[in-house]
Amino acid sequence: MTEVRVELGPRSYPIYIASGSLKELGKIAGRYLTGKRVLVVTNPVVAGFHGGTVKQSLAGAGFTVCEAEIPDGEEFKNLSTVAGLYDKALEGGLERGDAVLALGGGVVGDVAGFVAATYMRGVPFVQVPTTLLAQVDSSVGGKVGVNHPRGKNIIGAFYQPKFVLIDPDTLSTLPPREVRAGLAEVIKYGVIWDAAFFSWLETNIIQVLSLEPAALEYAIATSCRIKAAVVSADEKEEGMRAILNFGHTVGHALEAVTGYQRFVHGEAVAVGMVAAARLAVRLGYLTPAEVGRMAALLSRTGLPQAVPPNIIPEALLEAMHRDKKVARGRLTFVLPEAIGRVRIVQGVPEEEVRAALEG
Ligand code: NAD
Ligand code: GLY
């Protein structure tokens, strides 16, 4: 079993990664949880594939399992779903030392985490992520929360889990498009932090895409190591944690102008990473050859690299100005200086952004 630690003083925790480890969940939970009850939050899709293994493993270790399914989809990541989960927790007799466990993708993880952070002023939380995006990104680092009708992730908290358990075998049931979308975030880690990992991905992307166990486990563990290092250095995003937003300035804008229908998040981030890299070339930080390497790897992963021709730069710029990450009207970008290293640049001139978006 690979173990990656997120070092946060008294709130430090391990991420366990191993094929077939879902069966070991109860045993591991026994080491971290003192309460008897666990509220397992999941959705009908994930419950159908993996709920049985989780329930059996927890019950086998002596836990009383209360189950709560939330409907599948980003549109249910809201306060009304949270309210329903408080009801379930109360009906199940969940007390202060008992735990909330998220079994699912980022939506389930963010919602369940917010419930854990707020129910009875906070109960122990466990993440068992089942999408690649959740395994390499959303389950690590403690950002939990829900959407508001006026914006994504507007209501939330920083609330770290007691442990994260990643079983890469759970990805065998994930639609291939979701696997590719998760790989956009994996490639992101190579660009922002680790040139050797980026090169490794160039060599091994086919094995990862086909979910070859050793390659997949290495890609997940390395991504978690990088995210853990960033989060340990800046838990509350007061500075460098923002480098994790590489590709997200344009990515979020693209999702917004297409009504969150046309692109899944990772696809929009892929387009955003190439746009940011082109911007970096324009501003003299990066060589065109490095943008070429990024675009080639994204293309081999089956991810888009360009803004569709029917979306005009002006619409994207408008959406960027509406984004909660824009500080006092100044456009902020995470820009690569080389593959493996980025810098945060505030006040990027609009005409440069427009030109980079035009390609
Ligand atoms: P998701 O949770 O909607 O899951 C995608 C789809 O895959 C869903 O239909 C889900 O039911 C299905 N699914 C999940 N696991 C499966 C499995 N093993 N087999 C088959 N189907 C499966 O989407 P996501 O991409 O995992 O997460 C996106 C969410 O994560 C967004 O709400 C985003 O804001 C959030 N997020 C949070 C953070 C953070 O730091 N907290 C970081 C990035 C993204
Ligand atoms: N996904 C960005 C972060 O965790 O900070």
Side-chain angles (χ1 to χ4, degrees):
M1 179 105 58
T2 304
E3 180 179 340
V4 174
R5 278 196 72 77
V6 183
E7 296 294 351
L8 287 168
R11 282 167 292 104
S12 299
Y13 56 94
I15 305 163
Y16 295 112
I17 307 156
S19 290
S21 58
L22 212 54
K23 293 193 297 288
E24 310 298 320
L25 173 62
K27 217 164 61 194
I28 298 169
R31 303 210 301 263
Y32 291 91
L33 305 178
T34 49
K36 187 169 163 292
R37 283 173 205 277
V38 180
L39 178 72
V40 174
V41 180
T42 186
N43 74 24
V45 176
V46 181
F49 288 126
H50 307 294
T53 311
V54 162
K55 246 191 314 185
Q56 215 179 332
S57 180
L58 288 170
F63 289 101
T64 303
V65 179
C66 321
E67 269 183 288
E69 286 185 16
I70 63 173
D72 190 11
E74 180 76 29
E75 64 272 36
F76 299 103
K77 187 173 142 179
N78 58 34
L79 281 175
S80 123
T81 301
V82 167
L85 288 171
Y86 294 143
D87 292 343
K88 282 274 184 195
L90 287 165
E91 281 161 25
L94 218 71
E95 293 173 1
R96 261 227 143 133
D98 295 330
V100 172
L101 182 147
L103 173 69
V107 169
V108 165
D110 283 9
V111 171
F114 187 73
V115 170
T118 48
Y119 180 73
M120 297 193 171
R121 297 198 181 84
V123 294
F125 178 44
V126 176
Q127 286 268 24
V128 183
T130 64
T131 63
L132 183 56
L133 178 128
Q135 294 180 352
V136 300
D137 189 355
S138 62
S139 68
V140 176
K143 281 188 182 176
V144 298
V146 295
N147 302 327
H148 184 275
R150 288 171 64 178
K152 272 192 69 157
N153 299 321
I154 294 286
I155 303 151
F158 288 96
Y159 195 68
Q160 304 293 345
K162 294 293 175 205
F163 70 94
V164 181
L165 179 68
I166 299 175
D167 183 347
D169 288 358
T170 55
L171 302 183
S172 63
T173 57
L174 192 66
R177 186 178 181 190
E178 295 290 347
V179 174
R180 292 195 294 271
L183 278 171
E185 302 288 354
V186 173
I187 293 168
K188 177 190 82 178
Y189 290 121
V191 179
I192 64 170
W193 196 264
D194 189 339
F197 182 46
F198 187 91
S199 301
W200 181 89
L201 286 168
E202 289 179 309
T203 308
N204 292 280
I205 196 66
I206 302 302
Q207 287 88 327
V208 179
L209 266 170
S210 50
L211 307 182
E212 195 268 296
L216 184 60
E217 200 170 309
Y218 180 77
I220 294 170
T222 306
S223 300
C224 287
R225 253 183 220 112
I226 295 169
K227 180 143 187 190
V230 173
V231 168
S232 298
D234 176 21
E235 183 185 14
K236 303 264 168 81
E237 200 167 318
E238 283 152 347
M240 78 108 90
R241 184 167 175 164
I243 69 171
L244 297 172
N245 296 328
F246 172 55
H248 288 60
T249 310
V250 170
H252 282 155
L254 194 54
E255 284 183 286
V257 302
T258 52
Y260 297 92
Q261 299 296 318
R262 178 156 170 190
F263 296 99
V264 293
H265 180 67
E267 293 167 344
V269 167
V271 173
M273 289 195 286
V274 176
R278 286 210 185 104
L279 183 56
V281 171
R282 293 192 65 80
L283 298 175
Y285 301 138
L286 190 69
T287 65
E290 287 173 295
V291 186
R293 275 180 76 191
M294 283 173 53
L297 181 56
L298 292 167
S299 159
R300 289 172 63 214
T301 309
L303 288 161
Q305 305 108 58
V307 176
N310 63 333
I311 296 171
I312 55 164
E314 230 38 59
L316 292 172
L317 278 162
E318 250 174 57
M320 282 176 220
H321 281 294
R322 282 196 303 268
D323 195 299
K324 70 175 188 300
K325 289 192 184 70
V326 173
R328 281 171 247 101
R330 279 152 52 95
L331 290 174
T332 299
F333 275 84
V334 179
L335 299 178
E337 297 179 307
I339 286 175
R341 202 173 70 239
V342 286
R343 66 157 76 173
I344 299 169
V345 182
Q346 290 178 337
V348 176
E350 250 187 46
E351 57 277 13
E352 294 293 346
V353 179
R354 197 175 290 114
L357 290 169
E358 277 158 358

